[in-house]
Amino acid sequence: KINVDSAVGKSRSIISAVARDCRGELVFACTKWANTNLPLQAEAKAHRGATFLSIQLPFESICIEGDSKVCIQAISNLNVNTPWRIQNIISEIISLANHVNRPSFC
């Protein structure tokens, strides 16, 4: 499982990901600057970063978990009205997820 989140500042944000295996053992933790001060974009970029990192992990399945309902619904195609500010990021996530072994987003 990879937990993602973001912290938004005045001019940019920090996105983070923490991965644990099925035993709860830490696999990795990382942070990265994101060039946005919009919370929804920062959350979407955190999901994109975690999806990209999960391609490199040799697990049978990956669950990426975040606290943005809008992002999760957009990634899962549950929301036909994806906000335009994250449409491209969501498209990238969906494309990257095709390279992940049994991905899920919650």
Side-chain angles (χ1 to χ4, degrees):
K1 178 170 113 175
I2 303 174
N3 291 91
V4 298
D5 207 354
S6 64
V8 179
K10 290 182 182 180
S11 61
R12 59 184 176 172
S13 302
I14 294 179
I15 57 175
S16 63
V18 176
R20 297 187 179 274
D21 64 15
C22 61
R23 295 177 305 273
E25 299 291 325
L26 182 67
V27 176
F28 69 80
C30 61
T31 60
K32 181 180 177 180
W33 288 108
N35 291 322
T36 183
N37 63 353
L38 302 171
L40 185 58
Q41 281 184 333
E43 289 287 335
K45 288 182 178 203
H47 280 278
R48 181 181 60 192
T51 306
F52 179 77
L53 289 171
S54 67
I55 292 171
Q56 303 167 28
L57 299 174
F59 296 135
E60 289 184 26
S61 63
I62 300 278
C63 174
I64 299 174
E65 186 176 278
D67 60 1
S68 174
K69 182 179 179 181
V70 173
C71 287
I72 298 301
Q73 287 179 333
I75 294 166
S76 302
N77 291 319
L78 299 175
N79 184 1
V80 293
N81 295 321
T82 301
W84 68 269
R85 291 184 182 272
I86 63 167
Q87 285 179 344
N88 288 340
I89 301 169
I90 297 300
S91 294
E92 289 178 46
I93 294 168
I94 293 168
S95 177
L96 287 169
N98 289 326
H99 302 285
V100 177
N101 193 20
R102 293 183 7 205
S104 66
F105 297 86
C106 55

